[in-house]
């Protein structure tokens, strides 16, 4: 993968970009502490499906304005977003609200921040609902009930897929890639 260092304000992020030059791009956000190659197998599958991938190596300090600036720097007007763990929590935030820059959302290990978590706590009651299609991957780290409760905060098509693994990118990368391809297809 080709790495680029993108500076936004006083922060810089390394972004790995690869795949065919196409208008269909997928922004992948890792969990906190994930290795930089966490999505390599997923990306290889996505490239075979004619999708360009943009992988942020670390989400430390990353926020919505920085994500928009990174996509602007790369010349990506619209993106599908896929994420896991802490990256998924950020993805819910950046994709919330009215339909716009983000085309679809695929998350694992986290429900919508305004939905009660497994412990009954609401992480962010102010997080706006989604107006785009969303797929939530239920893993050993996310109970089905939390994923289902997230549906009331999705005004687009909503899908829940159960994958019985701890690490969806490593142990079920083929399933994650399939769900991303399904969300990026216009059929």
């Amino acid at each position: 993968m080709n790495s680029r260092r993108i500076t936004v304000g006083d922060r810089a992020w390394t972004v790995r970009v690869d795949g065919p030059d196409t208008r269909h791009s997928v922004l992948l956000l890792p969990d906190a502490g994930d290795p930089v190659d966490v999505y390599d197998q997923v990306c290889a599958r996505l490239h075979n499906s004619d999708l360009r991938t943009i992988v942020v190596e670390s989400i430390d300090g990353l926020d919505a304005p920085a994500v928009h600036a990174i996509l602007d720097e790369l010349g990506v007007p619209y993106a599908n977003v896929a994420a896991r763990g802490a990256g998924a929590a950020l993805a819910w935030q950046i994709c919330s609200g009215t339909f716009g820059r983000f085309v679809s959302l695929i998350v694992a290990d986290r429900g919508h921040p305004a939905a009660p978590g497994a412990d009954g706590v609401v992480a962010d009651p102010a997080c706006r609902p989604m107006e785009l299609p969303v797929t939530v991957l239920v893993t050993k780290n996310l109970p089905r009930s939390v994923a289902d409760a997230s549906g009331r905060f999705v005004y687009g098509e909503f899908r829940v897929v159960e994958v019985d693994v701890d690490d969806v990118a490593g142990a079920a990368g083929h399933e994650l890639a399939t769900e991303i391809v399904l969300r990026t297809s216009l059929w």
Side-chain angles (χ1 to χ4, degrees):
M1 291 187 131
N2 302 317
S3 291
R4 287 187 60 183
R5 192 90 170 136
I6 298 176
T7 302
V8 179
D10 62 345
R11 298 289 314 255
W13 287 272
T14 301
V15 180
R16 302 169 83 207
V17 181
D18 208 351
D21 189 17
T22 175
R23 62 187 176 105
H24 300 287
S25 297
V26 180
L27 172 66
L28 294 117
L29 301 173
D31 194 359
D34 273 349
V36 297
D37 62 349
V38 66
Y39 288 122
D40 282 2
Q41 291 179 358
V42 172
C43 289
R45 290 175 183 270
L46 297 177
H47 301 158
N48 288 335
S49 296
D50 203 31
L51 296 170
R52 180 180 181 205
T53 57
I54 303 157
V55 181
V56 179
E57 288 188 354
S58 172
I59 63 161
D60 292 337
L62 193 64
D63 59 10
V67 169
H68 286 276
I70 288 168
L71 293 175
D72 288 344
E73 180 72 24
L74 296 172
V76 177
Y78 301 101
N80 299 279
V81 180
R84 61 183 234 115
L90 174 61
W92 281 110
Q93 295 288 337
I94 64 172
C95 292
S96 69
T98 59
F99 185 78
R101 182 166 213 164
F102 303 104
V103 180
S104 68
L105 175 63
I106 304 91
V107 294
D109 304 329
R110 295 289 193 282
H112 189 282
D119 57 2
V121 175
V122 173
D124 181 5
C127 186
R128 297 171 21 188
M130 308 288 122
E131 290 188 9
L132 50 92
V134 175
T135 299
V136 178
L137 294 166
V138 173
T139 64
K140 291 180 180 177
N141 301 318
L142 178 70
R144 173 74 191 235
S145 60
V146 174
D148 289 340
S150 298
R152 66 181 274 221
F153 298 98
V154 178
Y155 298 162
E157 198 270 327
F158 181 69
R159 183 174 140 89
V160 176
V161 177
E162 294 188 40
V163 184
D164 192 30
V165 297
D166 285 323
D167 174 9
V168 72
H174 60 287
E175 184 69 32
L176 177 58
T178 297
E179 295 305 325
I180 294 169
V181 169
L182 287 173
R183 276 289 173 223
T184 60
S185 299
L186 299 176
W187 46 287

